[in-house]
Amino acid sequence: MKKSTLLLALFSVILLSSCKKTADADTTFDQFGISFTCPDGWTVTEAEDNDSYYNIYVEKDGSNSSGIVTIVLWNNEIEPTKVLEIMQEQLQGQKIFLNTKMGESNNGKYGKYEDLTSNYKMNVQTLPHEGIFHIFVENGKTVCITEQYATEDLKVSKPGFEKIKESFTIK
């Protein structure tokens, strides 16, 4: 797997896309063989098919919000430790992120799926950010879900992260 493919998957320029939304209501994202609840106050800003993988970006609405969930989905099985290694390497190589520190990898759970997780911390300019990678293989697909937020925004982002996580399903 080419590192550039994973880099593009994780750090593509965010473009407007569709998450049909009614005022003050959750919506359901259902494409590419996955589904999850897009919480009220969050928007799917990109959902694209890149031939060998899919990118889905879900962002917390508002100029003072920093929560983002990035989902990268491959229709084949890739060893989670390899995906984590490449994702961490790519994150550390980004010039916009300063003082990047990676946590240990652990076995965990993302909703109903057993996963490999790893936390990270960094600064975007001078603002501290944190994130976590969730990587798992299910039904012949490999999924890497990244949750990232400004440290000061965790309280407002966490309910959205939880709603996406608890509703996430691979078909």
Side-chain angles (χ1 to χ4, degrees), residues 52 119 129 131 162:
S52 61
N119 293 314
H129 278 67
E162 290 298 316

Side-chain angles (χ1 to χ4, degrees), residues 2 6 8 14 16 23 71 81-82 84 100 109 146 149:
K2 292 183 179 179
L6 290 173
L8 288 172
I14 297 177
L16 292 176
I71 303 166
T81 55
K82 183 67 175 167
L84 178 60
T100 304
K109 205 160 171 138
T146 306
Y149 51 90

Side-chain angles (χ1 to χ4, degrees), residues 8-12 14-15 17-19 29-36 38 43-50 53-59 68-74 142-147 164 168:
L8 288 172
L10 185 59
F11 299 109
S12 297
I14 297 177
L15 303 172
S17 185
S18 65
C19 179
F29 177 90
D30 190 354
Q31 291 182 48
F32 312 132
I34 63 169
S35 68
F36 59 87
C38 183
T43 303
V44 173
T45 57
E46 183 174 339
E48 66 179 0
D49 179 347
N50 292 296
Y53 63 93
Y54 306 96
N55 278 341
I56 301 99
Y57 294 92
V58 187
E59 293 184 73
I68 184 168
V69 175
T70 304
I71 303 166
V72 183
L73 171 72
W74 295 269
T142 304
V143 180
C144 178
I145 299 172
T146 306
E147 300 171 343
I164 294 168
F168 190 86

Side-chain angles (χ1 to χ4, degrees), residues 114-159:
E114 300 292 324
D115 71 353
L116 177 66
T117 65
S118 180
N119 293 314
Y120 60 89
K121 294 182 179 189
M122 67 199 177
N123 291 333
V124 177
Q125 297 181 359
T126 60
L127 187 62
H129 278 67
E130 296 180 39
I132 185 168
F133 294 111
H134 299 275
I135 304 164
F136 53 95
V137 176
E138 186 72 28
N139 296 338
K141 299 175 192 236
T142 304
V143 180
C144 178
I145 299 172
T146 306
E147 300 171 343
Q148 185 176 305
Y149 51 90
T151 304
E152 65 187 20
D153 289 345
L154 177 58
K155 186 176 180 178
V156 296
S157 297
K158 189 169 182 154

